[in-house]
Amino acid sequence: MPEFQSIGFWSESLINPARKNVPSYWTSDLDSEFLYYPQIKEQGNVTIFVYKIYNSNSAVQTYEIHLDGKTEYAEVDFGEKPAGWVNIGTFPFSGNGSEYVSIKKCAGIIKRGGEVKFVCGDGSEIMVCPDPEKILIAPTCPFAPEETFDAERLILPSIFADGMVIQRDQPLTVWGKAPKGQTVTVKFDGKTKETVSDSDFSVVFDPVTSGKTYTLEVSCGTENIRFCDILAGDVFLASGQSNMQWQLCSTVHYKEESKQADLPQIRFYRMDTYVDYQPRFDTINGKWTICTPENCGDFSAVAYYFAKTLYQKHGVPIGIIDSSWGGKKIELFVPNSEAERIESSANNENGYYSAYNAMIAPYKKLSVRGAIWYQGESDSHAGALKYQQYSEILLASWRNIWPNLPFLYVQLPKLSTHDFRYIREAQLEFYKSSKNTAMVSINEYGNVEDIHPTNKEPVGQRLAQCAEVLVYGGTGEYMGPIYEGYAPDGNKMEIRFSHSGEGLRAEGKITGFEVCGEDGKFLPANARITGKDRILVWNGTIQHPKHVRLGFALCPEINLTNETGIMASPFRTDSGGYDEE
């Protein structure tokens, strides 16, 4: 009898041998990027995944993982060796030359000579190549159930659960999977609907209002699923990378804020971060959580302050679907076909994984009120033109699911360690070319030395201020001044702004402007407000100014604003189609 050693739990996923030569990306907020590019070959009844790893220095290494093609695979994490766990080999490109692995939901390990087997909970085995130089236990192997699979039982996506928030005043679609040909009965708000499953099913109920709790009941054959404590309110999608994912417990005001977080009508739905090649039926480990002082620390801080501000203003339940993922580029949040259309790398010719498939598409039948977005840090080296293209594609693809979706996003703030000038410019141009969007400037709340500013309260509040107008139909200014155009005025330049509100203003001398003449050398400029939406800019040594810039620097110092107190967006008139310096 072999010796077994328990090593914890896993999250389920299935091998799909049909997906060959499909890359999976791993990135960080900084410059590193690894590409896991599996090729699949058969050897008897064993499937061998051959991985080529491309790091940021273009070095290439090849590893193999041997799997029984019929068994479930386990997601694997690298980390320090926990007590009692087994070292199964060296991971050559790691920082310290050796890493330990854990496999979730694995019943134990068998070691016979040089052979290593992981025994799954159902008794099946995964055999790993015994040569340590060939061992690779991949950080993730996302061969997971797709949207199109036949159901053998009644299944609902995890977005349906006790304590969920549904969108008020919009139709409610209830969808799921059930055995083909069987009748599915759905009861909600005193009404009953029936449909016959073709493996998938969906029914639609009339809109309901906020003000009471609801129960949802779904049955098929002898199976019955019942969800309670459902609220009707406003549901928002919160997405982006680490600054959106940044938890409330890591913010500067958490200790005081958590004492005020007894807000049971604010609820968060959060799933595991994941990528997939095709749209998934469900997220991974999606779960609704009610806001309390004890658990609010796990929430996205930006989304928490956004939800709190709206709830205090309108008194209706707020549901946040948090699909943020730290370190991820914008391309991962759009459909595969769109990313493949833009990317020309040979590594993408056979397919493309995306977080869109695993973290956006699974709830495409759910009604939502709007989206908030905070992202761009990982794209600072990708090029502003490409970032603007991806922003337009992201918005179009999301609005293909939710027509005319209000899209509220954050312009990246000051930071001395990264060059965000061109991403800010792309964010500005995207705003000017799109409709029903809002861009909030948070420059004064950035940390020049830290890519993760810890004061997220004003970020959420400013996004809520935008929602007040674009989502709730309020009036008043909700953004800082936005550059619209310029014209020569003798030895000066007249600059025109939209979102001037009740009038442009500045405390003290206006800062941040530069002008240049024909020689293209920019010099600090004087500025004077001459009208509600206009400013004159000049430098006494330049008789024929050609171009103007405002805050086009790593760490902009801008004090031009309107009655909101939100600073004007940086801009330049000499962009020349994103001619990055």
Side-chain angles (χ1 to χ4, degrees), residues 21 52 86 94 128 139 167 187 345 350 374 391 396 419 449 464 517:
N21 306 324
K52 292 184 179 181
V86 176
S94 65
V128 177
Q167 180 57 51
K187 298 179 180 180
S345 167
N350 295 306
Y374 189 165
S391 297
D419 190 349
E449 298 178 348

Side-chain angles (χ1 to χ4, degrees), residues 210-255:
S210 60
K212 70 174 186 177
T213 59
Y214 295 89
T215 299
L216 173 65
E217 189 172 346
V218 185
S219 59
C220 179
T222 60
E223 295 181 278
N224 184 270
I225 301 174
R226 191 169 186 266
F227 302 119
C228 302
D229 189 28
I230 298 173
L231 301 180
D234 291 328
V235 180
F236 291 88
L237 175 62
S239 193
Q241 57 181 108
S242 54
N243 272 305
M244 180 62 83
Q245 192 176 17
W246 197 259
Q247 293 178 314
L248 186 64
C249 63
S250 298
T251 60
V252 65
H253 298 128
Y254 169 64
K255 187 175 181 180

Side-chain angles (χ1 to χ4, degrees), residues 148-452:
T148 54
F149 66 90
D150 291 336
E152 297 180 356
R153 59 184 176 85
L154 178 62
I155 305 172
L156 271 75
S158 58
I159 197 76
F160 293 102
D162 292 340
M164 74 178 295
V165 180
I166 61 174
Q167 180 57 51
R168 62 177 176 148
D169 303 327
Q170 292 188 27
L172 169 65
T173 300
V174 180
W175 73 96
K177 288 184 173 290
K180 287 183 178 180
Q182 291 200 15
T183 299
V184 179
T185 303
V186 186
K187 298 179 180 180
F188 177 73
D189 192 31
K191 299 178 178 63
T192 300
K193 303 229 173 187
E194 289 188 347
T195 186
V196 176
S197 173
D198 61 356
S199 189
D200 295 283
F201 72 86
S202 67
V203 297
V204 181
F205 289 91
D206 292 337
V208 295
T209 60
S210 60
K212 70 174 186 177
T213 59
Y214 295 89
T215 299
L216 173 65
E217 189 172 346
V218 185
S219 59
C220 179
T222 60
E223 295 181 278
N224 184 270
I225 301 174
R226 191 169 186 266
F227 302 119
C228 302
D229 189 28
I230 298 173
L231 301 180
D234 291 328
V235 180
F236 291 88
L237 175 62
S239 193
Q241 57 181 108
S242 54
N243 272 305
M244 180 62 83
Q245 192 176 17
W246 197 259
Q247 293 178 314
L248 186 64
C249 63
S250 298
T251 60
V252 65
H253 298 128
Y254 169 64
K255 187 175 181 180
E256 297 79 12
E257 186 61 42
S258 63
K259 298 174 184 177
Q260 309 170 39
D262 187 12
L263 300 166
Q265 294 211 332
I266 294 177
R267 302 177 179 190
F268 275 66
Y269 176 83
R270 177 70 189 169
M271 74 290 297
D272 287 356
T273 54
Y274 209 68
V275 293
D276 210 318
Y277 179 58
Q278 295 190 25
R280 290 182 57 85
F281 166 72
D282 197 6
T283 60
I284 304 294
N285 295 326
K287 180 183 178 181
W288 282 97
T289 303
I290 296 173
C291 183
T292 67
E294 292 74 27
N295 61 32
C296 67
D298 295 334
F299 296 160
S300 156
V302 170
Y304 166 82
Y305 284 115
F306 172 80
K308 178 185 175 183
T309 303
L310 293 180
Y311 175 69
Q312 290 178 333
K313 171 75 173 180
H314 297 279
V316 299
I318 301 293
I320 298 292
I321 299 174
D322 182 358
S323 65
S324 57
W325 190 351
K328 294 299 172 249
K329 294 182 178 180
I330 190 172
E331 65 196 59
L332 284 180
F333 295 91
V334 305
N336 305 37
S337 58
E338 296 298 332
E340 290 170 342
R341 184 169 61 83
I342 291 184
E343 300 299 327
S344 58
S345 167
N347 290 330
N348 295 328
E349 64 186 5
N350 295 306
Y352 205 88
Y353 283 123
S354 75
Y356 172 90
N357 287 332
M359 301 173 68
I360 303 293
Y363 35 85
K364 63 186 180 183
K365 295 182 181 180
L366 189 76
S367 296
V368 303
R369 194 75 189 269
I372 58 176
W373 173 257
Y374 189 165
Q375 194 274 339
E377 297 91 340
S378 288
D379 290 276
S380 58
H381 299 300
L385 178 58
K386 180 181 284 189
Y387 189 79
Q388 184 181 346
Q389 289 175 327
Y390 267 121
S391 297
E392 293 167 351
I393 289 170
L394 182 143
L395 182 58
S397 63
W398 290 16
R399 284 183 174 172
N400 190 47
I401 300 174
W402 303 289
N404 203 32
L405 177 78
F407 187 76
L408 322 173
Y409 65 98
V410 178
Q411 187 179 48
L412 297 186
K414 59 188 176 184
L415 182 67
S416 62
T417 59
H418 288 61
D419 190 349
F420 289 159
R421 293 178 298 167
Y422 305 100
I423 294 296
R424 291 189 201 108
E425 186 172 37
Q427 291 173 326
L428 172 62
E429 293 304 314
F430 168 65
Y431 168 73
K432 293 169 71 173
S433 65
S434 57
K435 296 180 179 180
N436 205 25
T437 63
M439 179 184 72
V440 300
S441 170
I442 59 165
N443 189 65
E444 67 269 43
Y445 297 107
N447 184 329
V448 296
E449 298 178 348
D450 192 344
I451 200 170
H452 300 121

Side-chain angles (χ1 to χ4, degrees), residues 28-48:
S28 73
D29 270 329
L30 303 178
D31 302 331
S32 61
E33 178 172 321
F34 296 96
L35 172 60
Y36 298 88
Y37 193 63
Q39 294 177 313
I40 301 174
K41 57 185 179 181
E42 302 295 332
Q43 182 175 303
N45 64 350
V46 175
T47 301
I48 303 174

Side-chain angles (χ1 to χ4, degrees), residues 474-506:
T475 58
E477 190 51 74
Y478 55 95
M479 286 175 49
I482 298 294
Y483 164 74
E484 286 295 328
Y486 74 100
D489 186 357
N491 66 344
K492 300 178 176 65
M493 298 285 279
E494 183 183 67
I495 311 299
R496 187 176 74 258
F497 292 86
S498 61
H499 289 282
S500 58
E502 297 174 358
L504 299 173
R505 62 189 68 181

